[in-house]
Amino acid sequence: MGFAFYLGTHKPQWLWQYPGRRYFISDVQLRTRKGFRGRAAAPWALDSGGYTELNKYGRWTISDVDYAKRINRYAESLGHLLWAAPQDWMCSHEVLARTGLSVADHQRFTIESVKRLRQLTSVQVIPVLQGAEPDDYRRHVDLYEAAGFSLANEPVVGVGSIVKRQRDGGIHALIRELAGCGLHLHAFGYKTLGLRAVWESLRSADSMAWSMAAKNSRIRHPLCANAGHQTCANCFNYAKQWFDDMKADVGFVEQV
Ligand SMILES: [Zn+2]
């Protein structure tokens, strides 16, 4: 088993327009669409949009039943859906400040979400580890095991709340340790700096940092010189270039 990268995008049509890679798409982007004009020709994973939801409302306003219904609809109408994130509770400092709850609460709610969603859909809903500090993640592993999960037997275990911790040696050590225990890890939002340190301990990662980079830089891809858009924040050309550059920089060997 090698390492796979899921390219984050707001454009579900890439699933049939640009096959040959994996994609990571959020329910936030998909849920407003009535239907899809094509079927996925590429494997993909579904993000629940937890960061957006918790930052906006300080809690989940979407029921597990509604989210599970949509997971099933995406699996049926688009196909090729490898797994879905649960309605997890991130533990970054800003999200904890927003919800006013403890790390232990966030961890408990995350496990409850995985359990409930697994009763509501046959699409694989992955357990996600959350924490503010490395030891929190270790405690979360124990809480999952106490709740009846066998994490080493799970095909994918997510590691959340690490987007802004690409250089954090404590998180890198944690990831290596968990991989050493046989966990098949997906690092949410991990890109160049984080992947340089730990890609060999991961099964997969995702990022759509390219989109923000395109938006902020306002440098358009050469192939977009005559295109009508202001930025390449939603352009496949730009995303592919970003990915190819990152892959060369990190030096990972990819399995699609
Ligand atoms: Zn463009």
Side-chain angles (χ1 to χ4, degrees), residues 40 70 101 138 184 229:
R70 288 203 294 272
L101 298 168
R138 295 183 178 97
H184 308 143
H229 49 262

Side-chain angles (χ1 to χ4, degrees), residues 220-221 224 227 229 231-233 235 237-238:
R220 288 183 298 169
H221 191 276
C224 294
H229 49 262
T231 81
C232 283
C235 284
N237 290 332
Y238 194 101

Side-chain angles (χ1 to χ4, degrees), residues 38-216:
R39 277 185 69 79
W44 66 290
L46 176 70
D47 184 32
S48 60
Y51 187 78
T52 307
E53 182 78 0
L54 295 181
N55 262 325
K56 204 167 175 184
Y57 305 110
R59 64 191 175 89
W60 275 96
T61 62
I62 296 161
S63 77
D64 47 8
V65 172
D66 286 345
Y67 179 51
K69 271 186 195 161
R70 288 203 294 272
I71 295 176
N72 291 334
R73 179 163 74 84
Y74 303 148
E76 256 172 50
S77 55
L78 284 165
H80 252 295
L81 177 55
L82 297 182
W83 51 263
Q87 291 173 296
D88 54 344
W89 292 66
M90 289 83 216
C91 292
S92 59
H93 298 298
E94 66 270 23
V95 174
L96 285 166
R98 188 76 182 84
T99 66
L101 298 168
S102 68
V103 168
D105 290 331
H106 282 216
Q107 291 178 330
R108 195 174 73 248
F109 294 158
T110 298
I111 292 177
E112 283 170 9
S113 171
V114 179
K115 288 180 96 167
R116 280 197 307 267
L117 289 168
R118 285 186 168 187
Q119 293 168 350
L120 297 166
T121 175
S122 58
V123 172
Q124 192 197 342
V125 175
I126 68 164
V128 176
L129 299 170
Q130 294 288 356
E133 299 302 329
D135 277 345
D136 296 327
Y137 291 87
R138 295 183 178 97
R139 276 189 285 274
H140 207 192
V141 169
D142 294 340
L143 290 170
Y144 269 105
E145 299 285 337
F149 288 81
S150 173
L151 293 185
N153 291 325
E154 292 283 340
V156 187
V157 175
V159 184
S161 307
I162 56 172
V163 175
K164 293 178 182 166
R165 308 185 77 170
Q166 309 281 335
R167 296 172 190 266
D168 189 326
I171 294 296
H172 300 163
L174 170 83
I175 286 173
R176 291 190 192 105
E177 177 189 319
L178 296 177
C181 295
L183 270 59
H184 308 143
L185 302 170
H186 175 90
F188 284 99
Y190 242 34
K191 47 189 191 284
T192 313
L193 291 175
L195 292 182
R196 261 190 214 151
V198 293
W199 75 268
E200 285 171 298
S201 297
L202 298 170
R203 285 299 172 88
S204 56
D206 69 88
S207 178
M208 66 175 302
W210 65 268
S211 179
M212 193 57 83
K215 198 172 171 183
N216 292 338

